[in-house]
Amino acid sequence: MALKKTLNYLRPPSYWLFYVNILIAFFVGIFIYTLYVSNAVSYLSDDPKTCINCHVMRSEFATWQHSSHREVAVCNDCHVPHDNVFNKYFFKAKDGLRHATMFTFRMEPQVIKMHAAGQAVVLKNCQNCHENINREVGLLSITLEDKMHGNGKLCWDCHREVPHGRVKGLNSAPNSKVQMPGSAIPDFIRNLNTNTK
């Protein structure tokens, strides 16, 4: 009963109904088109080509393709937590929204660097994958907080070349052959120009 009363209260007056429906349809259409343009469904997969949906990540993709990690790890193996499926997709969503906001408003830096949360995830994944090797050198107990307080080193302090190389930036791999994402313009709109006589 209370739900019905609340819905009746929120319902616009009948003379506004047409305009409200048009406005809702507009925002639903913009939302669906945004999902289409951003290829949002691809972010649910572990395919490394998803990372080049944004042109900014082309050099990271190209350098990973020529690294030793290419044969054993994809982007999500290093950059996403693996403790449980909920944390994995929560982190992907949170990080993805951060990236989308930065790229949309052109706030991306020339040299992309991991933020603290990303560094903690990558460090944990390095330690998990290389657990047998690290046992001999005592790096399994190092955390990001230890490094910030001057105790110990992170994996990439020594292994700077892995997997993206030492030179970083939007122009670090200018001639690399990286598949470009498809056009954001739907086929039926693109075909309008070719079909007119």
Side-chain angles (χ1 to χ4, degrees):
M1 189 70 173
L3 178 65
K4 189 173 184 181
K5 195 173 185 179
T6 304
L7 288 175
N8 283 337
Y9 178 76
L10 292 175
R11 185 175 179 179
S14 59
Y15 53 88
W16 283 11
L17 211 48
F18 175 77
Y19 301 107
V20 169
N21 285 337
I22 293 293
L23 194 62
I24 289 171
F26 173 77
F27 283 113
V28 167
I30 290 292
F31 177 74
I32 290 170
Y33 184 68
T34 301
L35 290 179
Y36 171 77
V37 167
S38 67
N39 202 3
V41 176
S42 70
Y43 292 99
L44 298 175
S45 76
D46 285 338
D47 185 2
K49 290 182 182 165
T50 300
C51 295
I52 57 172
N53 282 344
C54 297
H55 72 280
V56 175
M57 300 304 286
R58 290 183 71 206
S59 62
E60 276 73 13
F61 181 81
T63 52
W64 164 80
Q65 270 190 315
H66 294 88
S67 75
S68 59
H69 278 71
R70 175 185 159 192
E71 301 301 322
V72 293
V74 295
C75 307
N76 286 335
D77 291 332
C78 297
H79 293 279
V80 175
H82 298 288
D83 50 355
N84 66 58
V85 71
F86 299 109
N87 194 27
K88 174 182 178 176
Y89 285 104
F90 174 73
F91 187 86
K92 281 179 85 166
K94 181 177 67 168
D95 215 36
L97 285 174
R98 183 178 158 274
H99 290 168
T101 302
M102 290 179 73
F103 299 152
T104 300
F105 293 107
R106 305 296 302 163
M107 299 184 319
E108 72 272 3
Q110 278 293 314
V111 178
I112 295 176
K113 295 181 181 175
M114 285 187 288
H115 61 298
Q119 288 183 5
V121 167
V122 171
L123 179 65
K124 183 74 175 153
N125 288 333
C126 286
Q127 291 170 340
N128 287 341
C129 284
H130 298 284
E131 177 172 33
N132 293 332
I133 297 169
N134 289 342
R135 190 172 294 127
E136 300 302 319
V137 291
L139 290 176
L140 288 176
S141 61
I142 301 295
T143 64
L144 189 60
E145 289 78 29
D146 292 337
K147 165 66 175 173
M148 293 172 124
H149 292 97
N151 302 322
K153 292 186 173 199
L154 302 177
C155 301
W156 51 90
D157 287 339
C158 296
H159 302 277
R160 287 179 279 191
E161 299 290 333
V162 179
H164 297 294
R166 187 178 301 244
V167 179
K168 302 211 188 278
L170 294 178
N171 295 322
S172 63
N175 299 317
S176 59
K177 295 192 186 296
V178 176
Q179 177 185 353
M180 290 299 289
S183 173
I185 301 170
D187 289 337
F188 73 92
I189 292 177
R190 196 173 325 114
N191 292 338
L192 286 176
N193 286 338
T194 59
N195 292 340
T196 57
K197 293 181 182 181

